[in-house]
Amino acid sequence: MTYRRRTVLATLGSTLALAASPRLAIAQDYPTRPIRIIVPLPPGGSNDVLARLLGQKMTESLGQPVIVDNRPGVAGNIATDLLAKSEPDGYTLAIAPNQTVAVNPVLYPKLPFDVIRDVQGISLLGRVPMVLVVPPQVPARSVAELVALAKADPRALSYASAGSGSPQHMAAEVFKSMTGAAMTHIPYRGTAPALVDVLAGTVQVMFCPLNSALPHMRSGRLRALGTTGTQRLRLLPDVPTIAETVPDYESDIWIGMVAPARTPPAIVDRLNAELRRALALPDVREKLADQGIEAESSTAEAFNQLIASDQKRWAAVIRAAGIKPD
């Protein structure tokens, strides 16, 4: 009886080991060729900075080239569609800001992909705080004064964004709904052209990514009224959060990395470990901070949960504001 039990247990152990060995083999062998990271926006922005910096660190640690492939267009939907239709083998990844994986899926009625079904989160990479800014011509010097100005004359203020459904647009709509401030939305095709008109005073308000706004704040061409996160920024300790005036207000840009769904768990685990290791390096954190990016990592599961919860959050905002894609 004892002999038979030992035999059964030994056989079972061998079977489990064989079942696990392909997963272990995949993790040990990967990668054997170059890895591509698709970026949904043009070179130069926060998404591109993250891809290139982390790609360099992954190249060093994985021993294979990591190639950055910028595929801008249709608010990032071109890049997400390309990623979703790629082979789930760990050799095609994508940078995923919240617009592409949390906002677009509930803003665009007929996308050729389903993020929840077709995309696998790997890790959160960082957050880009936004700053509520106005040019010097606008008399408001605080969030409260801006709200009062907007309420006094609903036609007095317009706000610029990088396009319908962009993080800047979402941040402004949440602000409007929580304060009752009336401002007209002027969408642009990107942050840069939007900022040009704000600097010229043609448009009076913008929720602007910190890295884009900072040089103009330092030169005096923009005045910061508040930041969109829950805590004051290290770079702007004297600028209050909007939440200090509008309790519970929060709206930021987060950026992560994703793979096609059905990518082997062992590869997802390996990539997650590599990204979290790179994001913990002091030189990486310093370089990102210089670009206005706050490094932050997560488990793959936590990132998937963030995508799903933010889709629900922004769906409610989009319905309430009647937002339509450009």
Side-chain angles (χ1 to χ4, degrees), residues 6-253:
R6 288 176 178 170
T7 302
V8 170
L9 289 175
T11 302
L12 178 60
S14 299
T15 302
L16 291 174
L18 286 171
S21 61
R23 178 169 175 171
L24 292 173
I26 289 171
Q28 290 170 352
D29 293 344
Y30 172 86
T32 59
R33 63 178 192 271
I35 297 169
R36 174 173 62 153
I37 299 178
I38 302 169
V39 179
L41 292 163
S46 302
N47 292 264
D48 187 64
V49 167
L50 273 164
R52 294 183 188 279
L53 181 55
L54 294 175
Q56 175 189 343
K57 295 299 183 181
M58 291 168 68
T59 295
E60 295 169 1
S61 62
L62 293 174
Q64 289 290 339
V66 177
I67 301 163
V68 175
D69 181 7
N70 296 85
R71 295 294 186 101
V74 196
N77 289 328
I78 289 175
T80 309
D81 186 43
L82 180 60
L83 181 279
K85 291 179 169 56
S86 297
E87 285 296 320
D89 54 12
Y91 291 97
T92 302
L93 313 173
I95 295 294
N98 48 353
Q99 180 176 0
T100 63
V101 292
V103 177
N104 287 357
V106 293
L107 177 63
Y108 290 83
K110 293 182 180 179
L111 289 175
F113 56 85
D114 181 317
V115 166
I116 301 301
R117 181 193 65 211
D118 299 330
V119 173
Q120 162 69 51
I122 298 173
S123 176
L124 184 65
L125 304 179
R127 296 179 186 269
V128 181
M130 284 184 285
V131 187
L132 171 56
V133 293
V134 296
Q137 301 94 310
V138 176
R141 293 186 171 276
S142 69
V143 170
E145 289 182 9
L146 184 72
V147 172
L149 190 63
K151 288 183 175 180
D153 184 356
R155 296 170 297 177
L157 300 176
S158 58
Y159 73 90
S161 82
S164 293
S166 65
Q168 298 98 312
H169 185 197
M170 296 290 99
E173 289 299 330
V174 172
F175 181 80
K176 286 170 59 181
S177 69
M178 294 181 73
T179 62
M183 297 186 292
T184 302
H185 180 214
I186 310 295
Y188 291 79
R189 294 195 178 277
T191 296
L195 199 51
V196 167
D197 278 2
V198 175
L199 289 167
T202 307
V203 184
Q204 295 77 37
V205 180
M206 186 174 180
F207 288 76
C208 189
L210 175 62
N211 54 339
S212 298
L214 201 54
H216 307 294
M217 290 163 52
R218 287 171 173 163
S219 70
R221 298 183 69 194
L222 288 177
R223 181 189 306 130
L225 304 184
T227 56
T228 63
T230 58
Q231 297 181 338
R232 293 196 181 196
L233 301 177
R234 180 179 59 83
L235 289 174
L236 304 173
D238 297 328
V239 178
T241 66
I242 294 172
E244 290 176 44
T245 303
V246 185
D248 299 325
Y249 179 90
E250 180 186 4
S251 185
D252 64 3
I253 300 171

